[in-house]
């Protein structure tokens, strides 16, 4: 029986296994902080501080480089110089010639404006002259009408006098034939009768002449109006033609000025300048004499950014649990770190962050992007952290037992919604 007893080494192993099992059971009830893991890279929070390509606004040929890769440039520093490749802009004195054309057009426009003003003055003068002539003609017409009235009265008076003298002559002639009056008296009455007849004819001639003068005066009024209206219409027609020519000249002048301004701006585009402070990281065109197109990138500049951030890419299943302000632990490539995602207090080499931006749409391979900025209450991020370097991040959520986290990971469930449920309960209680 002594030879069949259990060896002491087996008992020791059994005790250790039982101890490890009990320790494992105890560890299953340890608190574990749930998290959402994502990978990404270092970037800048504001778009203007992210790496950017400097493009040429015009097509041209590289004539001179002023920078080398890795050089720090300030805003406005010259990167390279271009020369012209389009035939339209080959003339080196094109800007001066455009200025001369603008000056000529301005002089032509001034002359046409002066001509239009002269025609306007001429029209006013013709209108004044027409009014004067019309007044004169109307006065003559009034005088002719008054004279006609006077002559008509004289004519009627002479006719009445003639009728009276004729009656007297005929009665006295009868008396003479009867021998009641002398021949001398009859002859005297006959003389007055003939004289009255002559005056009637003279008054009738004057009356008819006055009628003719009245008609002529009316015709003169119409003639004055027709003559001056014809002159005014011709002057207005010439004025409209001059104004039309003036407007065309103004349009051509505006085009020349626009072309002159565009040419001035184009001359400034022959020098490609740095849009902001930063480092020249890559020249996309090399050599002298190489041709570039409009809008083609020439060089890439990395701004000296102070608002660094980390762009992490998260699975769609975890996106509803992330909100702005969540705490994040970040691990950067190149900085040694020992990360325990569930126990951030014992992690070494990681840095604190806060979720600043959560994208509404997916970006890369169906993943959603979030932007993480440094946590002001935690250790500052490394100063020599380069944009574009890799990073890992853990968005920290609720504390749960370790056994629950293992079970969740084995089943592929998303993290718990404890925090969201608490918020919802608080809102309901508040409404009550």
């Amino acid at each position: 029986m002594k030879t069949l007893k259990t060896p002491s080494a087996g008992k020791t192993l059994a005790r250790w296994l039982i101890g490890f099992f009990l320790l494992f059971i105890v560890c299953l009830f340890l608190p574990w902080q749930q998290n959402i893991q994502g990978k990404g890279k270092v970037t800048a929070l504001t778009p203007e501080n992210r790496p950017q390509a400097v493009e040429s606004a015009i097509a041209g040929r590289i004539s001179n480089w002023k920078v080398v890769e890795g050089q720090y440039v300030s805003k406005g520093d010259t990167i390279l110089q271009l020369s012209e490749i389009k035939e339209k802009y080959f003339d080196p004195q094109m800007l001066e010639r455009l200025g001369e054309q603008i000056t000529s057009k301005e002089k032509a426009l001034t002359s046409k404006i002066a001509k239009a003003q002269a025609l306007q003055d001429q029209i006013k003068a013709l209108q004044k002259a027409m009014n004067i002539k019309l007044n004169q003609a109307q006065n003559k017409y009034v005088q002719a009408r008054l004279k006609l009235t006077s002559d008509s009265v004289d004519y009627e008076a002479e006719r009445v006098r003639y009728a009276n003298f004729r009656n007297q002559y005929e009665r006295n002639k009868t008396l003479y034939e009867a021998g009641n009056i002398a021949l001398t008296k009859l002859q005297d009455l006959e003389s007055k009768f003939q004289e009255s007849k002559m005056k009637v004819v003279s008054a009738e001639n004057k009356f008819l002449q006055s009628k003719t003068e009245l008609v002529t005066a009316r015709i003169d009024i119409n003639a004055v109006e027709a003559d001056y209206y014809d002159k005014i219409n011709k002057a207005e027609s010439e004025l409209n033609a001059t104004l039309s020519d003036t407007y065309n000249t103004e349009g051509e002048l505006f085009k020349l000025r626009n072309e002159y301004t565009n040419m001035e701006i184009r001359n400034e585009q022959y020098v490609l300048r740095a849009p902001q402070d930063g480092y020249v990281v890559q020249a996309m065109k090399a050599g002298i004499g190489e041709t570039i197109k409009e809008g083609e990138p020439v060089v890439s500049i990395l701004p000296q950014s102070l608002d660094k951030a980390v762009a992490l890419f998260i699975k769609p299943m975890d996106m509803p649990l992330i909100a702005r302000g969540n705490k994040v632990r970040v691990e950067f490539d190149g900085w040694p770190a020992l990360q325990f995602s569930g126990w951030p207090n014992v992690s070494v080499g990681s840095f604190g962050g806060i979720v600043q931006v959560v994208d509404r749409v997916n970006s890369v391979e169906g993943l959603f992007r979030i932007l993480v900025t440094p946590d002001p209450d935690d250790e500052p991020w490394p100063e020599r952290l380069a944009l574009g370097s890799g990073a890992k991040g853990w968005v920290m959520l609720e504390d749960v037992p370790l056994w629950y986290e293992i079970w969740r990971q084995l089943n592929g469930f998303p993290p718990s919604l404890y925090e969201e449920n608490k918020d919802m309960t608080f809102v309901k209680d508040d409404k009550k």
Side-chain angles (χ1 to χ4, degrees), residues 346-378:
V346 299
S347 299
V348 179
S350 63
F351 300 88
I354 297 178
V355 176
Q356 191 69 28
V357 178
V358 180
D359 284 351
R360 301 286 182 179
V361 295
N362 59 347
S363 49
V364 179
E365 296 179 355
L367 301 178
F368 287 80
R369 187 193 67 158
I370 64 173
L371 290 179
V372 179
T373 57
D375 188 349
D377 300 329
D378 206 323

Side-chain angles (χ1 to χ4, degrees), residues 24-25 27-30 32 34 343 400-413:
F24 175 73
I25 296 298
C27 290
L28 289 179
F29 290 91
L30 293 176
W32 178 273
Q34 291 183 312
W343 296 310
V400 297
L402 182 59
W403 66 267
Y404 178 85
E405 181 66 16
I406 296 174
W407 173 80
R408 182 187 72 82
Q409 293 285 353
L410 292 176
N411 290 275
F413 292 159

